[in-house]
Amino acid sequence: MKSFVSAALILASAVALAPAGANAQEACTVYRVQQGDTLREIAERAYGQDDYRLIWRANEAEIGRNPNIITVGSVLRLPCLDGSMPEETTTANLVPAEDARFSFVTANGYLPYTDESLDQRGLITNLVQTAMLRAAPQAPIEVVFVNDWSAHLEVLLPRQSFDASFPWTRPGCETQGKLTTVELYACQNFIYSDPFYEIVDGFFSRNGSGFENVIAFEAFQGTTICRPEGYPTSHLEENGLMPPAVTLVQPTRAHDCFQLLMAGQVDLVALDTRTGEYVMRDLNLAFEVSENPHLYSIQPLQVALLDANPKSAELIETLNTGLRRMLESGEWASIVSEGLRQQPAMSLVN
């Protein structure tokens, strides 16, 4: 629909001309592809020569095997002149499209909720976009995938490069438990939409480890728990499962947690149960790993917005209004049912 600026559906051919107003690129920065961009012209603007192979090799996982086609909204890391790579949080060029009234940022790999390999780019992506359409059909929006969850709240929203990020769980800001530094920062700087969906956060362990059937969280104390970086840990805190009671390992991907589990380097994986099922299937671990059926937490998935952003008050009201209309009409249930039936091509998210 015209109301949406879809970063995943518009393709730029390598033989197309770049628009006159394209953002300037520099080496050693992170750049988001604009409509009409080509790798050759990005290289010319960044390095003064048209050999695009350096950029392609550094971003092949993002671009794919065909350097002649790049996707508008893709985030490319432009190598430094000395051959090193820029930090993923070097985001000076990650500005929203000029015709987007509201801009959202999310990331790949959180199945089945957000991933560009999925229909509608994931269940939560579909719910957020539909909520905006139902409440403000004339307000153009964009959704961009930046595969660095921590950068969303630490860099992109504070700089107002984007207006909102999803999905997140609001920390227990009113609880008496000790908040982590990240959670305290989130409580002080962000506001959250109404919940768009609730997940079950559970615990996975190797069969025969003894952890698969325990019935008290205290039994997990003294263990090494893997929780992917950027995932909230408030439910671990609430159940006494944060350092020093446990050792917490936080790699970048859920896949990494299960690989560490199988290597004997961690005892437990703390993860959304549905995401865990996807990863276990992808790694062929269905007969080697089990989810504990007794110990889990219910967590809401919400949209996070910077409290200081002048757009946030209007945007959060629009999101909540659209969500209420979807719930009342039954559209929310239909989208969720369809989204949970998706079978993603797992090779695309490794």
Side-chain angles (χ1 to χ4, degrees), residues 109-110 226-229 231 251-260 269 271 275-276 279 283:
Y110 189 23
C226 190
R227 177 79 167 169
E229 183 182 18
Y231 284 52
T252 57
R253 305 183 312 149
H255 279 68
D256 297 333
C257 277
F258 281 90
Q259 290 166 344
L260 291 171
V269 174
L271 193 66
T275 302
V279 177
L283 297 178

Side-chain angles (χ1 to χ4, degrees), residues 16 27 78-79 149-150 153 161 186 211 224 238 242 247 256-257 286 302 308:
L78 306 184
W149 285 107
S150 59
L153 301 191
S161 298
F211 295 117
T224 299
E238 291 170 1
M242 288 290 286
T247 299
D256 297 333
C257 277
Q302 299 158 279

Side-chain angles (χ1 to χ4, degrees), residues 126-248:
N126 194 9
L127 288 174
V128 169
Q129 292 189 144
T130 304
M132 292 297 296
L133 180 62
R134 296 296 170 256
Q138 303 305 316
I141 74 167
E142 68 169 356
V143 176
V144 175
F145 284 71
V146 176
N147 297 329
D148 182 351
W149 285 107
S150 59
H152 294 191
L153 301 191
E154 294 174 8
V155 179
L156 298 178
L157 265 60
R159 290 183 180 177
Q160 298 183 29
S161 298
F162 296 91
D163 298 314
S165 175
F166 66 84
W168 294 92
T169 295
R170 181 180 183 273
C173 303
E174 297 79 21
T175 66
Q176 298 302 312
K178 180 181 178 182
L179 296 174
T180 66
T181 302
V182 173
E183 290 169 338
L184 181 60
Y185 170 77
C187 289
Q188 294 173 338
N189 293 279
F190 296 94
I191 57 176
Y192 297 81
S193 71
D194 292 341
F196 274 77
Y197 187 74
E198 288 186 336
I199 61 172
V200 178
D201 254 324
F203 296 88
F204 297 83
S205 61
R206 296 185 66 169
N207 292 339
S209 66
F211 295 117
E212 62 267 43
N213 289 311
V214 299
I215 59 174
F217 287 107
E218 289 79 4
F220 291 157
Q221 293 185 355
T223 64
T224 299
I225 298 177
C226 190
R227 177 79 167 169
E229 183 182 18
Y231 284 52
T233 56
S234 55
H235 71 295
L236 297 179
E237 172 66 37
E238 291 170 1
N239 293 297
L241 298 177
M242 288 290 286
V246 303
T247 299
L248 185 63

Side-chain angles (χ1 to χ4, degrees), residues 82-151:
D82 62 4
S84 63
M85 296 300 294
E87 295 294 330
E88 291 189 7
T89 54
T90 305
T91 56
N93 286 319
L94 289 179
V95 296
E98 292 182 0
D99 56 348
R101 180 177 170 189
F102 297 113
S103 57
F104 296 81
V105 60
T106 185
N108 286 294
Y110 189 23
L111 303 169
Y113 309 113
T114 59
D115 195 275
E116 291 174 287
S117 71
L118 299 171
D119 184 36
Q120 304 298 324
R121 296 181 292 165
L123 169 58
I124 302 300
T125 308
N126 194 9
L127 288 174
V128 169
Q129 292 189 144
T130 304
M132 292 297 296
L133 180 62
R134 296 296 170 256
Q138 303 305 316
I141 74 167
E142 68 169 356
V143 176
V144 175
F145 284 71
V146 176
N147 297 329
D148 182 351
W149 285 107
S150 59

